[in-house]
Amino acid sequence: DADRKRILIGMSNTGGGHKASAEAIQAAFQERYGNKYEIFIVDLWKEHTPAPFNSMPDTYSFLVKNAFLWRFTYEVTNPKLIHIPYLSAVGSFVSRGVHEALDKYHPDLVVSVHPLMQHIPIRVMTERVKSGAMPPTNFATVVTDFTTCHNTWFCPGATRCFVPTEYCRQLALGNGMAPEQIILHGLPIRPSFSRPLSSRRVLRRSLGMATGLPAVLLVGGGEGMGALEETVSQLDARLGDKCQVVVICGRNRSLQERLRARPQGPGHVLLHVCGFVDNIHEWMGACDAIITKAGPGTIAEALISGIPILLNGNVPCQEEGNIPYVIDNRVGTFETRPDRIASIIASWLIEGGEEQRAEFTAMGRRAKALGRPKAVYRIVDDLAALADEPCFDFGPAAAALLGQRSGAAAT
Ligand code: UDP
C-alpha cells in the first residue's frame, strides 16, 4: 500500500525484552494510528546476516547463563575504542544483510530496539543515501535496558535516541550524543498496562484466586529464571496457608511441572502456577507485591501496577543498575537468599507492625508515581513524526565520525 508509511523495527531475540518492546511499539501504533503505518519487526541478525553472525542470539543465550563469560564479553566490548572498530569489522560482513532488509522493506523510518543495531545500519543507510540508493531516512534508537546499559546503544549518527531513565540519558550524553538527540519518555510497555483495571478483589475472583488472602507474584522474566522453586518452598514453610503465591514460569516448562506436583491443601501456601501468560498486567493488579529478577520490563510494569518489588537476582552487567534504582527510589529491596526473601514477604504482607505496614503502602504509592504507562504512546507519537518528516540529520559530530569511517572502509 503506497499510502502507508513503513517502519522497520530492528531487533534480536537476545532475551525476551527487545521483542516485547518492539511488540509494544507496534501495538501502540495500531491503537493510535490504525493502519496509517505499516510496522515490520525484523530480527536483523537472524534473518539477514550470514553465519556465524546469524547465530548470535543463540550465543547470547549461552553466554548470559555463564556469568563470567558474559561479563568478559560485555566489559571488553564496552569501550568505544574497542566496539567501534569491532563493529566496523563485523559490519563489512553483515552490511549486505542490512542492504537486503532495506531493499525488501523500503522503510520511511528505521527503529532499533537492540544494542548492536546502531552503528552498522546507520553506516549502511548513510552510504545508500550518499549513493542515491535510498531517500534520506530517519533512524531512531529505543533503549530497552533500564539503567546500566552497553555503550553500543549510543551512536551519534542516530536521529533520536529514546531513553527510559535519567541514568540512561547521562550515559547517552557521555557517549557523545547531543542533548537534543536524547528523549526521555520511559520504557515502551504494552498498552494493556495503561488501561484502567478492575479492582484487586474483582481481578482475584476472575483469576481464580482467594479474594481475602495476601498475594505475592513470583516471576523470573520470560524464561522463568532464578531460584523460584526454592523460594516457593521457603514461602510455604514460613507462611503456610496465611498467603497465596502466583508463580509465572514463562517458557520454563519443567519448573511448571515441578511446582504443580507440590503438596497442596491445609497448612500449605495456596499456589497458582502459570506458564507463559499474556495478561501479566492482571496478575500484577491482583497481587500485593512481586518477587522478580531485575529485568527492565518486569520492573517497569510493576512500577505502573504500583506494587512493591523484591528483586531476587539479575543478569550480570546490564541489569546491575536496576538494583540501586529500586532501592534508591524506595520502591522495594534486593535479596537473593530464599529464606530471607520469605521473611521479607512475611513482614511486608502479614507480620509487620503498623509502621512496616505504612512503609509498605508508601512503597506501592512511590512505585505508582514512578511508573510511566504513557511512555509507549509518547514514543510512538515521536516516531510517527520522524516517519513523516524526511530529514536526515545525523548532526555534525556524527557526520564527521561516519565520514571518517566510511572513508576508512573504502580504502
Ligand atoms: N512476560 C510475559 N508473560 C510471561 C512471562 C514474562 O508477558 O509469562 C513478560 C513480562 O511481562 C516482561 C517480559 O516478559 O514484559 C520480561 O522482560 P524482562 O525485561 O523483565 O526480562 P527478560 O525476560 O527480557 O530477561
Side-chain angles (χ1 to χ4, degrees):
D1 187 344
D3 294 340
R4 294 172 74 191
K5 294 279 184 181
R6 301 159 69 86
I7 299 178
L8 173 64
I9 305 184
M11 61 103 199
S12 184
N13 246 332
T14 49
H18 308 300
K19 185 155 180 263
S21 299
E23 287 171 351
I25 291 170
Q26 186 177 38
F29 257 110
Q30 177 71 34
E31 205 173 299
R32 203 78 153 175
Y33 298 100
N35 285 331
K36 188 173 170 209
Y37 299 91
E38 208 171 348
I39 314 288
F40 304 96
I41 299 178
V42 180
D43 188 330
L44 278 177
W45 283 96
K46 231 181 170 119
E47 293 167 29
H48 288 280
T49 61
F53 302 107
N54 61 358
S55 63
M56 204 211 41
D58 303 325
T59 312
Y60 171 82
S61 301
F62 168 75
L63 285 178
V64 87
K65 286 184 193 118
N66 295 274
F68 168 77
L69 286 178
W70 177 241
R71 186 178 296 283
F72 181 78
T73 310
Y74 187 99
E75 300 292 356
V76 159
T77 54
N78 214 14
K80 248 198 254 175
L81 215 60
I82 303 291
H83 74 241
I84 295 218
Y86 170 78
L87 286 172
S88 291
V90 173
S92 54
F93 291 98
V94 301
S95 54
R96 201 169 63 93
V98 178
H99 278 291
E100 276 169 18
L102 294 171
D103 282 337
K104 181 168 173 192
Y105 296 104
H106 297 291
D108 297 289
L109 170 69
V110 178
V111 179
S112 159
V113 292
H114 195 276
L116 292 178
M117 278 173 201
Q118 278 54 241
H119 298 73
I120 297 167
I122 289 172
R123 204 171 79 188
V124 167
M125 285 168 69
T126 311
E127 284 162 7
R128 285 170 75 94
V129 171
K130 271 192 198 153
S131 71
M134 80 186 273
T137 306
N138 284 318
F139 182 98
T141 301
V142 179
V143 178
T144 65
D145 284 321
F146 208 49
T147 50
T148 33
C149 57
H150 202 276
N151 290 330
T152 49
W153 275 112
F154 308 112
C155 175
T159 321
R160 292 278 183 286
C161 178
F162 295 89
V163 294
T165 53
E166 179 56 30
Y167 188 100
C168 267
R169 206 178 74 83
Q170 293 301 329
L171 285 182
L173 288 169
N175 275 275
M177 304 212 61
E180 59 274 19
Q181 284 177 297
I182 312 165
I183 314 266
L184 198 172
H185 285 321
L187 213 64
I189 294 300
R190 280 165 288 179
S192 49
F193 274 88
S194 65
R195 297 192 197 110
L197 265 188
S198 308
S199 71
R200 187 161 280 171
R201 198 177 175 80
V202 169
L203 282 172
R204 284 186 182 178
R205 203 171 293 134
S206 73
L207 293 168
M209 297 170 68
T211 47
L213 265 187
V216 61
L217 183 62
L218 185 53
V219 219
E223 306 300 326
M225 293 200 262
L228 303 187
E229 201 176 0
E230 177 59 14
T231 305
V232 169
S233 296
Q234 291 293 338
L235 286 166
D236 191 35
R238 184 78 166 73
L239 295 166
D241 53 14
K242 292 202 278 292
C243 167
Q244 54 187 330
V245 180
V246 178
V247 192
I248 294 180
C249 304
R251 281 172 283 263
N252 190 339
R253 270 176 193 277
S254 65
L255 172 69
Q256 204 179 323
E257 281 158 23
R258 289 197 305 276
L259 288 175
R260 288 230 160 93
R262 286 186 62 88
Q264 280 271 12
H268 287 293
V269 85
L270 176 57
L271 200 56
H272 309 271
V273 181
C274 307
F276 194 93
V277 300
D278 55 15
N279 61 340
I280 256 193
H281 58 291
E282 293 183 333
W283 291 105
M284 285 191 185
C287 290
D288 300 292
I290 184 171
I291 304 170
T292 175
K293 78 170 182 86
T298 308
I299 291 175
E301 291 162 357
L303 293 176
I304 294 172
S305 306
I307 50 176
I309 304 166
L310 200 170
L311 297 176
N312 66 351
N314 63 288
V315 166
C317 306
Q318 76 267 32
E319 287 183 358
E320 269 159 21
N322 301 348
I323 297 163
Y325 180 88
V326 162
I327 294 172
D328 296 348
N329 283 298
R330 295 159 63 216
V331 293
T333 188
F334 176 66
E335 176 58 62
T336 56
R337 289 164 298 175
D339 59 328
R340 290 284 308 137
I341 289 173
S343 299
I344 293 169
I345 294 299
S347 75
W348 276 3
L349 299 187
I350 293 152
E351 296 162 2
E354 209 165 295
E355 208 171 301
Q356 255 170 325
R357 221 165 265 272
E359 175 53 19
F360 180 71
T361 310
M363 278 196 287
R365 258 203 310 271
R366 287 191 289 263
K368 188 106 199 155
L370 266 187
R372 290 172 176 263
K374 300 291 175 214
V376 71
Y377 296 109
R378 300 207 171 110
I379 291 171
V380 156
D381 287 347
D382 287 354
L383 291 178
L386 288 175
D388 291 342
E389 54 187 61
C391 67
F392 192 63
D393 182 12
F394 283 165
L401 182 83
L402 288 161
Q404 265 172 21
R405 265 194 289 142
S406 52
T411 52

